[in-house]
Amino acid sequence: MSQEQDTKNRDSNSETPQKRAGMELPILGQVSRRTAIKGAAAVAGVAALGVAAAPMLQKTAELSAAEFMQRHFKELTDEDKRIIFERLENEAQEKYDAEVQIGDHPPIRGVRFGYAINLSLCNGNGKCMEACHRENNHDRATQQSYIRIFEMPVGTTDFEQGNTSYDHEVPQKSHYYLPVQCFQCDNPPCVSVCPVEATWQESDGIVVVDYNWCIGCRYCMAACPYHARRFNWKEPEIPADEVNPDQGYLSNRIRPQGVVEKCHFCLHRTRVGKLPACLEACPTGARIFGDLMDPDSNIRWVLANKRCFTIKEELGTKPMMFYFFD
Amino acid sequence: MEFRKTHRRTKRLLGTQHRSHAIAAICLLAASVVMVAGCDRPSAGAETPTRGMSLQQISKLPPSADDADKARLLHPIQYSTPQTPRVATDQVDALGHPITISCASCHSNFSERTPVVSAEKLQAFHVGLKFQHGSPNQQLTCLTCHHADNYNYLRLADGQPVEFRNSRSMCAQCHAAQDRDYEHGAHGGMNGYWDRVQGIQVRKTCIDCHDPHSPQFPHMLPNFKPLDRFLEPSLHHNQHEQKH
Amino acid sequence: MSANQITSDTSSTATPRGYWANYPRFLWQSLRAATDGSPLFYGWMTLLTAVALVGVNGWAHQYASGMIVTHMTDHVSWGLYIANFTFGVGLAAGGVMMVIPAYLYRNRAMHDVVILGELLAVAAIIICTLFIAVDLGRPDRFWHIIPGLGRFNWPISMLTWDVIVLNGYLLINLHICGYLLYTKFQGRTPNRWWYIPFVFLSIIWAISIHTVTAFLYQGLGGRPFWNTALLAPRFLASAFVSGPIFLILTMLILKKIAGIQLPSQAIKLLVQIVRVTILINLLMVASELFTEFYTGAAHSVHAYYLFFGLHGHNALVPWIWTAIVLNVLAAIFFLNRSALESPTWLTIACLMGLVGIWIEKGMGLIVPGFVPSTLHQIVEYVPSLTEWQITAGIWAFGLMVYSVGLKIAIPIFRAASHDE
């Protein structure tokens, strides 16, 4: 209490000169002394701000003007792309000491990708996760991968009963194994929510991310019902000899810090006709990949002859990844 | 008292201010209409061929016009073909290459008198072979699959000899469902191209994954785990124990 | 104090100079008013500046080393920042509770203090914007969201709606505050047509900002904890608790510390508003919890996790029970008329309500939406030191804006009302 009164008293004392200063027309001597103190405080404040923000300023200095000004992928001409890809290749050389080729890989006309997994065959060995990790230049420290495998007790499809961190011999009795990754939904909620159109669905159904346009708000991660999206919490670390040099701009090129990424069905492979890395790595042959528009494709045969289901169908996302038991 | 006063005031003001309420309501309504209309607009992938189709619809799509042309241009599927087995002799020829002999080299001299059902019975040759194929009451023997007259061949159920390279047709006699799936790419791994217009698809065969004498797929130890942040080993363990 | 200073100045500036010619003078006087003050004021501003700088430093580190310095994960991808953002939007919307009685019900007493609500709205929106900024992984790409410059996914993305309504609300309130202050500074009577339409717009807009913010969450089918139609009404109800409570606290503090006596009727009216809204909010929380726990379906795991913990993970349990206890106690206090006669008890009740709502619609709403994750994995979230630093910094900066606003506005308003 006494302290407050004290302050009030001091207030009223300090009022007097001010009041005079205000009443009379500006008397330079008095005003400038006060202004000088204020100015000094402002300078000190700005200096303190500079010190506090130093790490940010340093980081910003690393950012090239070309990268800062880069337009959205859909607005780039072929010439723009050539220059950008070259810049990114040089960056990979500088940062990772790796010689890489970054390609464009547009979708093949009239193709729509579908993927199926035979849950009777999958034994949860995790080779697909590892192949994804290597193929897609994921951070080595976190052993990142777009795939997770759930060990599920038979008799339920409730993920709460599942476990991704099992580390025993597989398959275990009375369990089945359920790999999940991005389902490239036909009605993708992650695409709708993106405020800057940094993620979109291409004509072959693959939902891609422009890593140079994403602002990192992570709204898509909140919107995805399948935990398919990952965020680059820091810059990925990959030893030079482990970098996969066959890269796509919208797929497995080394991602920058602070952006969201996701499975892209290995589009740098699948759009030149190759099979995705996770399928090739699967020792049980549980994965079936192909073109939904081709009536003779493997995937079409599976859809027509196996009793397939999708996960969380009730959400209306229309996943393009199908599961079945034999 | 105070409450009644407020109430009276409120009532009076509600009367005079109903217009602003109406305006507010209309604005809100308009905003929500725009929002809902906006949400119906298909997002960026509008040109995708199967957009909005159900699983059933997709599986009945007709062939497209250029599918016929495509068929002529397809690369062949390259099937893995098992070799006719040869047995090592521990001896080398003049050039230092190991000498191997065909199965028939021995088996043309010995004929199997009693059909061997269990691998334990094999005491002179093939010791340690794991034989676990078919259920016990099926009583499968060596000669169910190996041709008794010529051990360089396999044998179909009707006694027809089959070359080892065509072993799949023998397997298919019992495993017809798997063979049908295999035929349509739904069983067995593959490599190379899904799009056979662009390249060769390489298919494994039955015995690339299944040991013919003990065909059950082996157990494996997963050796790769993504390390999700905060899913430290100790936490893994807790989670694991609670779940089982 | 500066109050007198500005009064005296206004009397001298009321000379018939050009309307616009006076504007730089107004700005200059405002700057002086904002930077002149008692040692207490200087101390307060220095403290806020220091905390804000700590926040800037935290953000700088986060920007340089990546969001790895936060404790957010791929599983809990939003945390303390978005929690505070949500609360901040509520605060901004709640400020309008001062405007409604003043203009919709033409309450004279409120006219003198309505500027408090508008300034709160401005400060709160700035806080919200900053919380979004620090939550971005790539703040250097902020221009991608500017319509015309970048690619604005409107009207599909709810976040673009939020950008529009929040910035719109900021502009509307800046206009109202600026216009009223400037005309009063000039000693003129504000032209109704220049601000009354905007006042009504701001009322609708206040509801829209919180509705749209709720739609951000409740439109996500994959997050059952948020996917409830009650979320937007709940947000509004709690906003109309936290906003008025914050204004009551402001007035109590101004009276106690700066000795600024504002019409006591204003506090009484706000108390009456909170008395109703706090009950509506509790009713909605109860209704939500009934649905979750009585149905007991798979989707109620989030509520179980929040209130009781799941499989031995219970990081949020103390938070939410604190919130519930504080909210219930605050409601009891607000219903007890005699208790509120004492400013001390009123302050305590307000603080309880404020903290209760902050937890309930912040950490208690955002985090359980992510735990367990969409694939039912449990990864818990406790904010990191950096997150707390940045959060404190943003609040300090917001309070600076609010304090400066009050410092400039109150003397002008009081002078004007004395003249009348």
Side-chain angles (χ1 to χ4, degrees):
Chain A
M1 271 301 189
S2 62
Q3 207 182 357
E4 277 156 24
Q5 275 165 1
D6 202 37
T7 347
K8 265 187 216 163
N9 291 339
R10 261 184 283 148
D11 275 4
S12 49
N13 290 340
S14 61
E15 259 172 39
T16 346
Q18 268 179 48
K19 210 172 176 178
R20 245 188 286 129
M23 295 266 266
E24 295 157 23
L25 279 170
I27 297 169
L28 281 172
Q30 275 180 323
V31 172
S32 68
R33 186 163 54 84
R34 213 177 164 81
T35 314
I37 295 168
K38 279 191 202 172
V43 169
V46 170
L49 183 69
V51 172
M56 186 179 263
L57 300 176
Q58 263 166 23
K59 184 84 180 174
T60 316
E62 287 173 24
L63 188 74
S64 72
E67 189 189 338
F68 179 75
M69 300 295 285
Q70 188 180 322
R71 302 293 315 174
H72 188 277
F73 183 73
K74 287 185 189 171
E75 296 167 17
L76 301 178
T77 63
D78 287 347
E79 178 60 11
D80 291 339
K81 284 180 188 170
R82 195 187 58 74
I83 296 167
I84 289 166
F85 295 176
E86 202 179 290
R87 192 190 78 219
L88 291 171
E89 285 165 1
N90 290 338
E91 268 174 31
Q93 181 77 57
E94 276 168 34
K95 276 191 185 166
Y96 295 91
D97 194 22
E99 217 162 280
V100 306
Q101 287 85 44
I102 297 177
D104 187 2
H105 307 109
I108 309 172
R109 252 191 78 237
V111 167
R112 183 83 158 87
F113 288 124
Y115 212 150
I117 296 184
N118 186 342
L119 297 178
S120 301
L121 293 183
C122 176
N123 69 2
N125 60 69
K127 295 284 181 214
C128 51
M129 291 194 289
E130 189 176 3
C132 175
H133 175 74
R134 300 197 177 287
E135 177 72 28
N136 289 314
N137 293 313
H138 280 295
D139 179 41
R140 290 301 183 256
T142 50
Q143 306 233 64
Q144 192 55 277
S145 171
Y146 294 137
I147 308 174
R148 292 288 181 277
I149 304 177
F150 282 80
E151 182 178 67
M152 309 276 283
V154 292
T156 181
T157 52
D158 180 0
F159 283 102
E160 218 203 326
Q161 313 285 320
N163 173 21
T164 55
S165 50
Y166 60 89
D167 53 359
H168 44 234
E169 206 178 61
V170 290
Q172 292 277 303
K173 260 201 161 58
S174 312
H175 283 83
Y176 69 98
Y177 296 82
L178 199 151
V180 286
Q181 63 202 74
C182 175
F183 297 154
Q184 318 292 353
C185 301
D186 196 23
N187 179 21
C190 53
V191 167
S192 319
V193 298
C194 179
V196 293
E197 296 175 17
T199 182
W200 66 92
Q201 189 174 44
E202 303 220 276
S203 67
D204 53 8
I206 298 179
V207 175
V208 294
V209 180
D210 182 349
Y211 310 122
N212 275 38
W213 191 258
C214 171
I215 57 172
C217 71
R218 306 190 296 292
Y219 195 12
C220 53
M221 297 178 79
C224 173
Y226 305 108
H227 188 57
R229 287 177 169 258
R230 311 273 183 273
F231 187 69
N232 286 281
W233 301 97
K234 62 176 177 60
E235 221 150 70
E237 288 164 36
I238 313 158
D241 56 330
E242 289 182 26
V243 171
N244 176 7
D246 172 24
Q247 301 185 352
Y249 179 85
L250 293 173
S251 61
N252 65 337
R253 70 180 165 104
I254 305 174
R255 272 77 66 194
Q257 171 182 300
V259 301
V260 172
E261 51 168 318
K262 63 182 283 299
C263 165
H264 37 73
F265 277 2
C266 281
L267 66 80
H268 54 284
R269 298 169 60 97
T270 51
R271 284 184 179 170
V272 295
K274 290 187 198 161
L275 288 158
C278 48
L279 186 145
E280 289 204 335
C282 178
T284 67
R287 290 169 169 265
I288 300 115
F289 181 83
D291 176 13
L292 290 171
M293 302 306 288
D294 174 5
D296 300 325
S297 67
N298 298 334
I299 186 77
R300 279 286 292 277
W301 186 83
V302 166
L303 293 188
N305 292 280
K306 302 287 182 183
R307 285 155 293 170
C308 293
F309 64 94
T310 56
I311 289 178
K312 299 194 189 182
E313 192 182 354
E314 71 277 13
L315 295 177
T317 48
K318 296 193 190 265
M320 286 297 127
M321 187 133 178
F322 307 94
Y323 294 92
F324 65 97
F325 290 94
D326 256 342
Chain B
M1 274 290 272
E2 191 194 314
F3 172 75
R4 223 184 304 151
K5 220 163 70 195
T6 321
H7 183 66
R8 227 181 308 136
R9 192 167 56 224
T10 314
K11 227 165 101 183
R12 194 180 65 233
L13 293 168
L14 273 177
T16 56
Q17 291 296 324
H18 64 273
R19 230 176 346 171
S20 50
H21 288 288
I23 294 168
I26 289 166
C27 289
L28 267 181
L29 200 67
S32 53
V33 166
V34 175
M35 250 190 252
V36 170
C39 294
D40 258 3
R41 196 186 81 177
S43 44
E47 69 278 20
T48 49
T50 57
R51 166 155 289 278
M53 285 189 186
S54 70
L55 176 49
Q56 290 84 349
Q57 285 167 321
I58 292 173
S59 60
K60 285 178 196 141
L61 278 171
S64 63
D66 51 19
D67 275 343
D69 302 336
K70 225 195 229 173
R72 270 182 275 126
L73 297 167
L74 290 186
H75 284 84
I77 294 179
Q78 186 183 311
Y79 292 97
S80 148
T81 45
Q83 304 278 306
T84 308
R86 295 184 69 83
V87 185
T89 58
D90 295 344
Q91 289 172 6
V92 289
D93 63 13
L95 292 170
H97 297 305
I99 298 174
T100 59
I101 53 169
S102 77
C103 301
S105 309
C106 295
H107 281 283
S108 53
N109 299 330
F110 310 106
S111 62
E112 202 180 331
R113 277 181 223 104
T114 46
V116 176
V117 180
S118 153
E120 282 94 74
K121 300 257 171 72
L122 300 165
Q123 276 156 9
F125 293 95
H126 303 305
V127 179
L129 178 86
K130 192 183 175 202
F131 181 61
Q132 207 167 52
H133 196 152
S135 67
N137 56 4
Q138 277 177 314
Q139 296 275 312
L140 295 188
T141 75
C142 304
L143 297 181
T144 312
C145 301
H146 291 281
H147 205 288
D149 298 339
N150 188 342
Y151 271 76
N152 286 344
Y153 287 85
L154 295 166
R155 165 187 185 278
L156 293 183
D158 62 357
Q160 287 279 319
V162 190
E163 281 191 73
F164 276 88
R165 52 181 291 124
N166 294 329
S167 57
R168 208 184 100 214
S169 58
M170 188 196 70
C171 303
Q173 296 178 114
C174 296
H175 305 286
Q178 283 81 352
D179 190 62
R180 184 198 57 170
D181 287 1
Y182 179 90
E183 196 58 47
H184 294 99
H187 188 108
M190 57 175 78
N191 280 287
Y193 288 76
W194 65 265
D195 183 5
R196 286 169 50 215
V197 176
Q198 302 202 49
I200 292 172
Q201 197 175 86
V202 183
R203 300 289 310 271
K204 294 172 190 164
T205 193
C206 314
I207 64 162
D208 289 335
C209 303
H210 302 282
D211 177 344
H213 298 116
S214 173
Q216 197 196 36
F217 199 82
H219 282 232
M220 297 173 79
L221 199 64
N223 58 358
F224 180 88
K225 279 281 164 232
L227 305 173
D228 285 326
R229 281 183 74 191
F230 292 177
L231 270 165
E232 291 96 8
S234 59
L235 196 65
H236 274 207
H237 197 62
N238 290 341
Q239 208 182 8
H240 184 75
E241 283 195 333
Q242 270 148 12
K243 293 231 161 112
H244 295 280
Chain C
M1 240 174 80
S2 49
N4 306 325
Q5 181 194 345
I6 285 207
T7 324
S8 49
D9 277 343
T10 44
S11 56
S12 63
T13 52
T15 47
R17 284 216 225 159
Y19 183 82
W20 295 108
N22 263 336
Y23 201 69
R25 209 183 152 74
F26 165 64
L27 287 183
W28 175 244
Q29 293 291 351
S30 301
L31 185 68
R32 272 182 60 179
T35 50
D36 271 340
S38 63
L40 187 68
F41 177 72
Y42 281 131
W44 170 239
M45 292 305 277
T46 310
L47 175 73
L48 291 180
T49 311
V51 177
L53 285 175
V54 168
V56 169
N57 189 243
W59 189 23
H61 275 294
Q62 179 187 293
Y63 180 73
S65 12
M67 304 282 278
I68 191 92
V69 297
T70 71
H71 279 175
M72 286 184 271
T73 55
D74 283 339
H75 294 84
V76 187
S77 49
W78 281 342
L80 192 62
Y81 302 147
I82 297 295
N84 277 285
F85 159 77
T86 314
F87 178 76
V89 176
L91 215 51
V96 84
M97 266 301 163
M98 208 105 185
V99 180
I100 291 177
Y103 292 99
L104 219 49
Y105 297 111
R106 299 213 176 132
N107 185 324
R108 282 302 306 167
M110 295 302 267
H111 263 255
D112 292 338
V113 288
V114 72
I115 194 84
L116 260 63
E118 279 149 2
L119 287 172
L120 174 63
V122 169
I125 292 287
I126 289 173
I127 289 174
C128 293
T129 315
L130 287 175
F131 273 116
I132 291 292
V134 299
D135 191 60
L136 292 183
R138 296 302 298 230
D140 53 309
R141 298 187 186 160
F142 71 95
W143 64 273
H144 294 182
I145 206 170
I146 300 172
L149 270 184
R151 284 172 83 96
F152 200 56
N153 189 14
W154 187 85
I156 307 279
S157 170
M158 272 298 128
L159 206 51
T160 56
W161 281 85
D162 224 20
V163 168
I164 294 173
V165 292
L166 289 179
N167 285 302
Y169 195 60
L170 181 63
L171 291 180
I172 293 170
N173 278 290
L174 277 177
H175 165 72
I176 297 172
C177 291
Y179 180 75
L180 287 183
L181 283 179
Y182 185 42
T183 45
K184 297 212 169 182
F185 166 80
Q186 285 186 312
R188 295 141 140 260
T189 316
N191 181 343
R192 291 176 56 80
W193 288 105
W194 271 106
Y195 76 100
I196 294 290
F198 292 98
V199 165
F200 284 109
L201 188 62
S202 82
I203 293 171
I204 300 163
W205 214 281
I207 293 165
S208 86
I209 61 167
H210 222 20
T211 311
V212 169
T213 304
F215 285 2
L216 278 185
Y217 309 111
Q218 82 183 62
L220 304 180
R223 304 273 174 197
F225 188 69
W226 300 335
N227 192 212
T228 155
L230 195 57
L231 201 64
R234 243 183 89 186
F235 270 24
L236 285 173
S238 59
F240 293 154
V241 178
S242 58
I245 276 182
F246 201 89
L247 292 171
I248 295 174
L249 280 175
T250 308
M251 285 192 267
L252 288 174
I253 291 169
L254 283 178
K255 187 176 163 189
K256 181 99 185 164
I257 299 196
I260 297 169
Q261 187 74 51
L262 294 162
S264 63
Q265 218 193 330
I267 290 188
K268 274 189 188 149
L269 189 65
L270 287 177
V271 167
Q272 277 175 5
I273 290 171
V274 174
R275 205 171 273 167
V276 178
T277 53
I278 203 167
L279 287 182
I280 295 177
N281 184 47
L282 277 179
L283 173 73
M284 287 182 176
V285 172
S287 167
E288 196 86 278
L289 293 183
F290 172 78
T291 317
E292 296 280 15
F293 289 122
Y294 193 81
T295 328
H299 287 167
S300 34
V301 280
H302 302 281
Y304 269 102
Y305 168 71
L306 177 60
F307 279 88
F308 307 110
L310 209 59
H311 303 300
H313 301 281
N314 42 25
L316 283 182
V317 175
W319 288 80
I320 196 66
W321 285 109
T322 311
I324 295 292
V325 169
L326 287 178
N327 272 332
V328 170
L329 281 179
I332 293 170
F333 270 112
F334 269 96
L335 287 177
N336 186 342
R337 193 165 300 203
S338 55
L340 295 189
E341 294 294 323
S342 129
T344 318
W345 283 115
L346 181 58
T347 311
I348 291 171
C350 284
L351 284 175
M352 287 196 296
L354 200 66
V355 175
I357 300 280
W358 180 74
I359 296 174
E360 182 215 306
K361 76 194 285 189
M363 291 290 283
L365 183 97
I366 303 305
V367 181
F370 292 101
V371 190
S373 78
T374 42
L375 296 178
H376 296 269
Q377 285 167 289
I378 302 176
V379 175
E380 296 205 275
Y381 166 76
V382 176
S384 74
L385 185 64
T386 310
E387 285 175 89
W388 281 117
Q389 271 177 18
I390 295 177
T391 302
I394 293 177
W395 277 106
F397 184 76
L399 285 175
M400 264 164 85
V401 172
Y402 190 47
S403 306
V404 166
L406 291 176
K407 187 79 172 40
I408 296 169
I410 289 174
I412 296 180
F413 256 71
R414 296 180 81 207
S417 65
H418 282 310
D419 289 349
E420 286 168 25

